[in-house]
Amino acid sequence: MKSFPILGKCLTLASSLLLLGHSHLAAAQDKITWTMVSPLTPAIAYMPLYQQLADNITERSQGRLTVNFLSFGQHPFKGPDILTAVRDGVVQIGNSADVYVSSLEPAVAFMGLPFLFDNLEQAKTTFNALKEPYYQPIFADKYQSELLTSFVISGSAIHAKKPLDNSDALKGQKIRVFGKESGDMIRLLGGEPATVAFGELYTALQRGTIDGALTGMDGANAARVYEVVDNNTWWNWSYPVEFTFVNRQALAALPEDLQTIVREEAASINAELQANRDLGTMRLLIKAIEQDGITVTGLSAANLADFRTRTQPILDEWQGKTGALGEQAFAIYHQLHDSAAQ
């Protein structure tokens, strides 16, 4: 029989490595690096909490799982791209909001539909009821992702050079929007929707390219819009949800103790994110009033009712587009709020 001395030596060497260096090889295999991306800029007030999530996972795993967090400008992905990047495993964790991904997945835009809710608590109650039966399956089935964090944001306002609290005031006003639903809303209320990149918002308002902008208080503060406009019309027309999702295959490939660490640290940060936004939005509004001298105007009951009537076609179109999913979302919504009204 022909012998293979070189092969024999290789096998002997491999055996020696397995016996003598097994612990070193195992340790090397345990070192995993993940990437987490966000479309938000570091100027957003709660961005440090996402960095803290990445750091906490890295520290608690003792470096076995390192999570590198990249914000806007440090990666090539836009808001909608992040969901597909996580789905395809290009990155392991992504952060985005329903308003960014609604063009890709209309069903996640439910909380962003216009004038559904009277206040933040009502919106939070609704989202909590929707999260497990509605949102989680959408991300799992279509995008191979599991939700890690998800919180509701209040303070969706229109920032402009004059109060925009009725349809007459909106006529002819060019308003920056961020998605189909918000664009349709402005059009139905008499304004002219305009698309402006967030980084160009300040200049567009300053030069009069647009007359106003839809954004939350965090966005307004980060873009310093109150240096160039001095009115906030407090519509609270939607309560968008911001998500962080993880690729399910990447998560399942981790040892069980690391999976537990990822989920537990995400749950802890999620509670901080929601608490931060509940207080942070109002703090930013107070800051804008006291330091920037802005005028805040609300919607009267009559104008709110008028806005709801005018924007009803958006709800109807969305439900027709989303089919059974849309019916499910509205069924949960009506079950909650019809019973509360009794």
Side-chain angles (χ1 to χ4, degrees):
M1 180 180 296
K2 189 174 182 179
S3 63
F4 296 91
I6 296 177
L7 177 60
K9 291 180 181 179
C10 290
L11 289 172
T12 301
L13 177 60
S15 299
S16 300
L17 286 171
L18 286 173
L19 291 172
L20 300 176
H22 182 272
S23 61
H24 298 291
L25 287 173
Q29 291 169 352
D30 281 344
K31 300 288 186 180
I32 301 167
T33 300
W34 277 8
T35 299
M36 174 179 172
V37 296
S38 172
L40 303 175
T41 70
I44 299 295
Y46 54 88
M47 281 291 277
L49 289 173
Y50 288 125
Q51 181 66 62
Q52 185 179 333
L53 171 60
D55 292 345
N56 287 353
I57 292 171
T58 302
E59 181 179 352
R60 188 173 163 193
S61 71
Q62 297 182 326
R64 291 168 56 207
L65 174 58
T66 299
V67 179
N68 296 321
F69 177 56
L70 305 177
S71 59
F72 176 78
Q74 297 177 318
H75 59 79
F77 308 108
K78 297 179 181 179
D81 302 332
I82 290 176
L83 184 53
T84 54
V86 173
R87 178 197 64 193
D88 298 339
V90 178
V91 298
Q92 290 73 38
I93 301 178
N95 160 247
S96 197
D98 51 9
V99 296
Y100 293 137
V101 301
S102 62
S103 59
L104 176 68
E105 184 53 55
V108 304
F110 181 76
M111 299 294 295
L113 294 176
F115 305 107
L116 272 180
F117 305 104
D118 295 327
N119 53 58
L120 174 61
E121 289 309 310
Q122 188 186 55
K124 286 165 63 175
T125 298
T126 303
F127 177 71
N128 288 335
L130 287 166
K131 183 177 177 180
E132 293 299 328
Y134 182 74
Y135 283 99
Q136 286 277 25
I138 292 173
F139 286 109
D141 296 342
K142 293 188 176 184
Y143 299 97
Q144 302 303 311
S145 300
E146 177 180 320
L147 282 181
L148 289 180
T149 72
S150 50
F151 63 95
V152 178
I153 305 173
S154 64
S156 295
I158 187 163
H159 315 271
K161 299 176 182 179
K162 67 176 184 177
L164 298 173
D165 56 355
N166 60 73
S167 57
D168 287 337
L170 277 160
K171 286 180 180 177
Q173 294 287 296
K174 294 180 181 178
I175 306 298
R176 177 260 187 178
V177 299
F178 46 80
K180 183 182 186 312
E181 291 79 15
S182 60
D184 289 346
M185 176 184 69
I186 290 298
R187 189 177 295 107
L188 288 169
L189 294 178
E192 298 178 15
T195 302
V196 176
F198 184 80
E200 299 170 4
L201 193 55
Y202 182 99
T203 303
L205 287 167
Q206 184 182 46
R207 294 177 177 174
T209 307
I210 57 175
D211 301 298
L214 287 173
T215 188
M217 289 305 300
D218 279 289
N221 183 66
R224 300 181 291 119
V225 301
Y226 291 126
E227 293 180 9
V228 288
V229 298
D230 57 6
N231 277 272
N232 172 317
T233 309
W234 192 253
W235 282 10
N236 253 341
W237 63 278
S238 73
Y239 289 83
V241 180
E242 192 166 306
F243 302 102
T244 304
F245 24 79
V246 60
N247 180 279
R248 295 173 72 193
Q249 291 181 330
L251 185 63
L254 295 177
E256 288 189 10
D257 66 318
L258 291 185
Q259 293 183 40
T260 299
I261 288 172
V262 170
R263 291 189 176 105
E264 288 182 352
E265 292 302 325
S268 176
I269 288 295
N270 191 76
E272 291 190 52
L273 283 164
Q274 186 67 72
N276 181 289
R277 291 303 80 221
D278 289 354
L279 295 175
T281 296
M282 297 310 299
R283 286 172 177 163
L284 288 172
L285 181 63
I286 292 169
K287 169 182 173 289
I289 294 170
E290 294 181 346
Q291 297 185 21
D292 301 317
I294 69 164
T295 298
V296 180
T297 307
L299 294 176
S300 68
N303 285 331
L304 176 57
D306 178 53
F307 279 17
R308 280 178 166 155
T309 299
R310 289 172 181 266
T311 57
Q312 181 63 40
I314 299 173
L315 279 62
D316 297 338
E317 180 185 354
W318 180 86
Q319 190 164 355
K321 185 189 304 181
T322 55
L325 279 173
E327 291 178 8
Q328 179 189 8
F330 270 110
I332 294 171
Y333 169 85
H334 287 301
Q335 183 180 12
L336 281 173
H337 302 301
D338 290 352
S339 61
Q342 293 176 355

